């Protein structure tokens, strides 16, 4: 049993693999958080931590007993009733009064997790506690849902708010969770970035006041990932306590860590409150996305491995998660929009015998799409470029033993398109103003049923007729204006979230209509790489930046939460199109082999080196593919902290491992030294490349010297096999 309820103590104890999470119901029926950390005995007595809870720190007393407001650790913090920190919920009643006072009512335990009914993807899984709280003045109920994963260090949380009264109420904020910690010397880890520099790790000291990550762009975004971690003093990659919080949501998000004047720390995470409000009329309810909490007592490394197992076991489609993925050649960096039928057919022919499995035709195959200024939204084949249609290309692929893949961008439209000319009101734009364009495109209003149904039909037909076994779903701008012509004034604040529900509905429809097709997500690179998207897309295009050095950082940042099998990583030409850097084919391949390998250049004029190396590289990749799909990742060094990166993927049974070492700048070191974590310390391992057999204990503690790296931006890889 992962959830135990002590009725006498009015205490709920949630126990996962290595953690406990405990809260209780106070005498005046508030939910008060008691503990989150290393696992405690099921009957652990925490009653000494019970406090009477003041609802107001000005009066500082309740039932005549003085209480400090810092004693408040509400499981779901509420505004304007004595707690002056950032609230989880902000709700106004029909008169505009911004006060709620939820008190405990009852609980229920479900053996199977209830899914979110509004269509936000959530993890599959097990035992779930639902606690009902109620505010009898405004007749609104709050359900807090907790799902414990007994096999992992994961606890998910979300909330539902239901109006069971006759009067309207308006939510101005509804977070997925709030979580209070006693005063501690935490540091806060966030992932910031930009287009082509996604997922840059930043670790800041806790300050009095707030550290806020998140954005209101309508997309989880390149700029901030929906993830934050609290690191206790001394915690690092391999040791110390970490509390991770990953929000499974693809729209605007908000993560706030607040330290109050006496040091108490609050974490809240959920949909960004800017551009959000939700009207609840009688009987209506609102469901928040799910937040995935992870506790690690062995640093960031253990946290990441827990998240990886979680996303692989409970989020990514089981039909694909462990299945070898195709090695693709994508046309984008090679051709951009400048291709014709012959170029594509010649490309397909050139791939014969290369080891590449799928040819992907990226942007530019439809409408008047000769550059990014026109044609988006017109989902019919550009016959000037492709007189034989997609069929001729996909048939040729099949003839030479390849699969065919296709790019789509269903959410967007160029103003210079037939679709826009027919329906200028179908885009998100402000009344009486010209729409703001970005990359020359507008966003279709997916909160509108008519728009969504039209695109569903279009996309269904395109995919059905394409002969594709792989689809790349792109989305290349963020949301402005935030006005829908189809929503009444009082519901305009619902647009961003309704839009995202529309995206999820389309993704659900297409992925279930074509269950054998592998869908890869993309948003101008990793601009919407989040846990919710992994529900539909087993892999995601990590970044438009394919430079090997920059990728060591971007892929590291992603690997904090997402498994290597979810990161799509391509080898492209040098000098790199983004930053002009020149790295060797060896290095580009070794870094791309930290995820799902692919290629991205014009293969019609491959160099002799490429012709010879690529088939060999793909063979080698297949020999370690099971480790990329299913292995445990141990990061020993990273390029945020040093001149080197060193990671190892270890099979679950610890019989095999694959090490990637990367050196940025050549140094005076004659030979780099590394220690290898994650091995069985009682077994011996043969290291193929070095002709050595050493104990797992030796490799972990004494380490080994690698052969000297051949210069700047160079790599060494090692293949380890247990011999005893
Ligand atoms: C952005 C993507 O990240 C690229 O890979 C490519 O598909 C372009 N869009 C096409 O417009």
């Amino acid at each position: 049993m992962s959830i135990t309820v002590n009725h006498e103590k009015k205490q709920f104890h949630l126990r996962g693999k290595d953690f406990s999470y405990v809260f209780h119901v106070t005498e005046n029926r508030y939910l008060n958080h008691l503990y989150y950390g290393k696992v405690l005995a099921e009957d652990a007595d925490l009653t000494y931590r019970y406090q009477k809870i003041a609802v107001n720190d000005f009066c500082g007393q309740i039932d005549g007993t003085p209480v400090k407001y810092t004693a408040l650790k509400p499981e779901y913090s509420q505004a304007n009733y004595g707690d002056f920190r950032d609230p989880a919920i902000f709700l106004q009643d029909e008169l505009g009064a911004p006060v709620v006072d939820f008190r405990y009512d009852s609980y229920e335990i479900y053996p199977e997790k209830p899914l979110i009914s509004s269509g936000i993807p959530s993890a599959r899984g097990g035992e779930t506690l639902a606690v009902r709280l109620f505010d009898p003045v405004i007749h609104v109920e709050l359900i807090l849902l907790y799902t414990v994963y007994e096999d992992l260090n994961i606890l998910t949380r979300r909330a539902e708010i239901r109006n069971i009264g006759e009067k309207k109420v308006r939510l101005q904020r509804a977070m997925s969770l709030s979580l209070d910690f006693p005063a501690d010397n935490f540091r806060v880890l966030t992932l910031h970035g930009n287009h082509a520099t996604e997922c840059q790790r930043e670790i800041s000291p806790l300050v009095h006041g707030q550290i806020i990550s998140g954005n209101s762009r309508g997309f989880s975004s390149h700029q901030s990932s929906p993830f934050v971690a609290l690191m206790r003093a001394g915690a690092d990659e391999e040791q110390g306590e970490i509390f991770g919080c990953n929000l499974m949501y693809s729209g605007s998000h908000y993560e706030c860590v607040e330290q109050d004047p006496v040091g108490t720390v609050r974490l809240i995470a959920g949909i960004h409150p800017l551009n959000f409000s939700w009207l609840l009329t009688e009987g209506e309810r609102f469901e928040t996305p799910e937040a995935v909490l992870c506790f690690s007592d062995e640093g960031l490394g253990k946290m990441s491995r827990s998240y990886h197992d979680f996303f692989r076991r409970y989020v990514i489609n089981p039909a694909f998660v462990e299945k070898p993925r195709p090695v693709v050649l994508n046309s984008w960096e090679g051709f951009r929009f400048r291709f014709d039928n012959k170029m594509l057919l010649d490309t397909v022919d050139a791939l014969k015998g290369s080891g590449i499995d799928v040819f992907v035709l990226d942007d530019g195959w439809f409408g008047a799409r000769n550059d990014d200024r026109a044609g988006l939204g017109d989902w019919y084949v550009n016959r000037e470029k492709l007189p034989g249609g997609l069929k001729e290309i996909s048939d040729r692929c099949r003839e030479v033993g390849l699969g065919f893949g296709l790019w789509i961008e269903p959410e967007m439209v160029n103003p210079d398109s037939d679709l826009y000319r027919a329906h200028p009101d179908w885009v998100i734009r402000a009344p009486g103003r010209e729409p703001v364009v970005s990359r020359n495109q507008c966003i279709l209003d997916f909160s509108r049923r008519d728009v969504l149904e039209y695109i569903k039909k279009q996309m269904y037909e395109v995919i059905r007729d394409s002969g594709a076994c792989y689809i790349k779903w792109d989305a290349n701008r963020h949301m402005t204006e935030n006005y829908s012509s189809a929503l009444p004034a009082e519901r305009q604040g619902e647009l961003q979230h309704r839009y995202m529900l529309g995206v999820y509905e389309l993704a659900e429809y297409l992925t279930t209509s074509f269950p054998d097709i592998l869908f890869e997500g993309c948003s101008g690179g990793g601009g919407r790489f989040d846990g919710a998207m992994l529900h539909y897309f087993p892999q995601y295009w990590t970044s438009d930046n394919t430079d090997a050095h920059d990728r060591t950082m971007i892929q590291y940042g992603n690997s904090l939460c997402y498994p290597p099998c979810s990161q799509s990583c391509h080898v492209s030409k040098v000098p790199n199109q983004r930053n002009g850097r020149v790295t060797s084919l060896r290095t580009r391949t070794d870094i791309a082999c930290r995820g799902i390998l692919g290629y991205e250049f014009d293969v019609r004029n491959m160099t002799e080196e490429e012709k010879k190396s690529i088939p060999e590289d793909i063979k080698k990749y297949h020999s370690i593919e099971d480790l990329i799909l299913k292995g445990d990742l141990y990061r020993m060094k990273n390029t945020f902290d040093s001149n080197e990166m060193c990671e190892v993927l270890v099979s679950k049974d610890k019989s095999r491992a694959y090490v990637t070492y990367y050196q940025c700048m050549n140094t005076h070191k004659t030979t780099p030294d590394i220690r290898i974590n994650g091995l069985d310390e009682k077994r011996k391992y043969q290291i193929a490349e070095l002709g050595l057999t050493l104990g797992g204990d030796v490799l972990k503690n004494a380490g080994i010297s690698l052969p000297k790296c051949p210069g700047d931006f160079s790599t060494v890889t090692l293949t380890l096999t247990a011999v005893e």
Side-chain angles (χ1 to χ4, degrees), residues 162-175:
R162 295 183 196 155
N163 183 357
I164 54 173
E166 288 165 7
K167 295 180 179 159
K168 291 177 188 171
V169 298
R170 179 183 297 282
L171 277 171
Q172 303 283 12
R173 152 189 306 229
M175 292 289 138

Side-chain angles (χ1 to χ4, degrees), residues 340-493:
D340 59 28
N341 209 37
K342 180 168 180 328
M343 287 161 81
L344 299 186
L345 294 175
D346 288 350
T347 298
V348 173
D349 290 343
L351 291 175
K352 229 188 283 175
S354 64
I356 287 168
D357 302 305
V358 170
F359 168 63
V360 181
L361 179 54
D362 207 283
D363 199 351
W365 58 266
F366 49 88
R369 189 76 170 162
N370 298 315
D371 54 37
D372 63 18
R373 280 173 295 203
L376 199 53
D378 297 339
W379 296 107
Y380 48 84
V381 175
N382 181 323
R383 292 276 167 183
E384 272 167 39
K385 282 185 185 172
L386 306 175
L390 295 174
K391 192 166 178 313
E392 187 178 357
I393 313 294
S394 64
D395 283 352
R396 179 66 72 91
C397 284
R398 240 182 316 279
E399 277 160 35
V400 303
L402 290 179
F404 175 64
L406 192 67
W407 178 96
I408 55 172
E409 191 176 9
E411 299 156 71
M412 307 288 167
V413 61
N414 285 127
D416 186 359
S417 66
D418 295 343
L419 179 63
Y420 184 89
R421 281 183 282 275
H423 300 286
D425 58 324
W426 276 15
V427 303
I428 294 173
R429 60 189 295 182
R433 298 173 198 272
E434 279 304 303
V436 171
V437 288
S438 170
R439 206 198 188 206
N440 305 303
Q441 62 197 53
C442 296
I443 306 193
L444 289 167
D445 182 355
F446 272 19
S447 76
R448 287 178 61 144
R449 182 52 46 199
D450 51 353
V451 177
L452 192 59
E453 292 305 330
Y454 172 85
I455 292 294
K456 268 177 157 175
K457 185 168 176 297
Q458 291 279 305
M459 286 300 131
Y460 180 86
E461 288 170 5
V462 163
I463 296 171
R464 183 196 60 197
D465 299 340
S466 67
C469 62
Y470 164 106
I471 293 290
K472 175 177 171 187
W473 174 327
D474 202 351
N476 281 297
R477 67 159 287 182
H478 293 158
M479 210 178 279
T480 53
E481 290 123 307
N482 292 302
Y483 177 85
S484 168
S485 52
L487 287 171
E490 60 181 1
R491 289 201 180 269
Q492 286 299 329

Side-chain angles (χ1 to χ4, degrees), residues 657-678:
Y658 182 72
V659 177
T660 307
Y661 172 86
Y662 163 78
Q663 168 186 275
C664 173
M665 302 312 287
N666 207 1
T667 67
H668 63 281
K669 279 189 199 170
T670 45
T671 53
D673 282 328
I674 57 161
R675 293 184 303 120
I676 304 175
N677 291 341

Side-chain angles (χ1 to χ4, degrees), residues 2 9 14 49 71 209 256 266 308 395 404 426 505 604:
S2 48
K9 294 177 183 159
L14 317 179
R49 283 185 162 238
C256 174
R266 170 169 297 170
H308 296 179
D395 283 352
F404 175 64
W426 276 15
E505 184 178 324
R604 295 171 309 156

